[in-house]
Amino acid sequence: ALKLRPHAVCIVPEKRQEVTTEGGLDVEGQLEWAIEFTKPLLEKKIEVSFFIDPDVHQIASVAKTGAPFIELHTGRYSEVFGTLEEEKAFQDLKGAALFAQNFGLKVNAGHGLNYQNVHRMHEIPNIVELNIGHSIISRAVFVGLEQAIKEMKALCEGVKG
């Protein structure tokens, strides 16, 4: 990233055997590393975010790194969508987003969001970005990219389409 200088990077935990990331990064447990890793990126004017679970300790730790963004892992909400556990998982996300914003952090969110469960994300104030590309591209195979984007945009804005 320091060589290529992208506009932004998101620090994501990943294990070789995972098909996709199964949880957020433990910034709290590796705070010194996170601070040192972030510093040169910020010096090169690269926006940094950390992909974390909706946990106040992780959020407070990210705030100490100087990174301007977090990306909340929405996997738990996505997994329990449509069950009795959905409301708690959603409120955990919403509470984490508000907590992060109190630190001045900008909030992105993603993982497992799709056309069935994304509609509640508009209830969380000031979300900057939702990472939902996999779902959009999968839908585009059937309806075309333009229609898939229109449908997702309407859901994200809370418009029933």
Side-chain angles (χ1 to χ4, degrees), residues 18 20 53 62 80 88 112 117:
E18 288 179 322
T20 186
D53 291 324
V62 170
V80 299
K88 181 182 181 328
N117 64 21

Tab-separated table of all heavy atoms in Angstrom, residues 18 20 53 62 80 88 112 117:
chain	number	residue	atom	x	y	z
A	18	GLU	N	-9.768	-19.794	5.318
A	18	GLU	CA	-11.086	-19.171	5.257
A	18	GLU	C	-11.475	-18.868	3.809
A	18	GLU	O	-10.660	-18.387	3.033
A	18	GLU	CB	-11.103	-17.851	6.032
A	18	GLU	CG	-11.054	-18.003	7.521
A	18	GLU	CD	-11.041	-16.665	8.243
A	18	GLU	OE1	-10.398	-15.718	7.762
A	18	GLU	OE2	-11.687	-16.592	9.282
A	20	THR	N	-13.975	-16.702	3.351
A	20	THR	CA	-14.167	-15.277	3.583
A	20	THR	C	-13.887	-15.001	5.059
A	20	THR	O	-13.897	-15.928	5.873
A	20	THR	CB	-15.590	-14.829	3.189
A	20	THR	OG1	-15.686	-13.419	3.295
A	20	THR	CG2	-16.647	-15.495	4.045
A	53	ASP	N	-15.314	-6.332	14.885
A	53	ASP	CA	-16.630	-6.705	15.393
A	53	ASP	C	-17.235	-5.498	16.108
A	53	ASP	O	-16.503	-4.615	16.564
A	53	ASP	CB	-16.506	-7.882	16.361
A	53	ASP	CG	-16.105	-9.170	15.657
A	53	ASP	OD1	-16.545	-9.392	14.508
A	53	ASP	OD2	-15.346	-9.961	16.252
A	62	VAL	N	-9.254	1.208	18.103
A	62	VAL	CA	-9.052	1.794	16.772
A	62	VAL	C	-8.873	3.301	16.893
A	62	VAL	O	-8.011	3.891	16.225
A	62	VAL	CB	-10.208	1.450	15.805
A	62	VAL	CG1	-10.093	2.262	14.517
A	62	VAL	CG2	-10.233	-0.036	15.489
A	80	VAL	N	-28.058	-14.181	11.791
A	80	VAL	CA	-29.266	-14.371	12.608
A	80	VAL	C	-30.475	-13.618	12.052
A	80	VAL	O	-31.541	-13.617	12.676
A	80	VAL	CB	-29.026	-13.983	14.092
A	80	VAL	CG1	-27.936	-14.854	14.691
A	80	VAL	CG2	-28.722	-12.501	14.248
A	88	LYS	N	-31.281	-8.065	18.617
A	88	LYS	CA	-30.110	-7.815	19.456
A	88	LYS	C	-28.878	-7.582	18.585
A	88	LYS	O	-28.094	-6.655	18.830
A	88	LYS	CB	-29.848	-8.952	20.421
A	88	LYS	CG	-28.617	-8.643	21.295
A	88	LYS	CD	-28.270	-9.748	22.244
A	88	LYS	CE	-27.086	-9.456	23.125
A	88	LYS	NZ	-26.026	-8.638	22.626
A	112	GLY	N	-21.806	-10.275	4.584
A	112	GLY	CA	-23.037	-11.051	4.573
A	112	GLY	C	-24.293	-10.256	4.284
A	112	GLY	O	-25.395	-10.804	4.297
A	117	ASN	N	-31.491	-8.641	3.856
A	117	ASN	CA	-31.209	-8.120	5.199
A	117	ASN	C	-30.643	-6.699	5.237
A	117	ASN	O	-30.516	-6.124	6.300
A	117	ASN	CB	-30.272	-9.068	5.950
A	117	ASN	CG	-28.905	-9.195	5.310
A	117	ASN	OD1	-28.459	-8.355	4.551
A	117	ASN	ND2	-28.228	-10.285	5.624
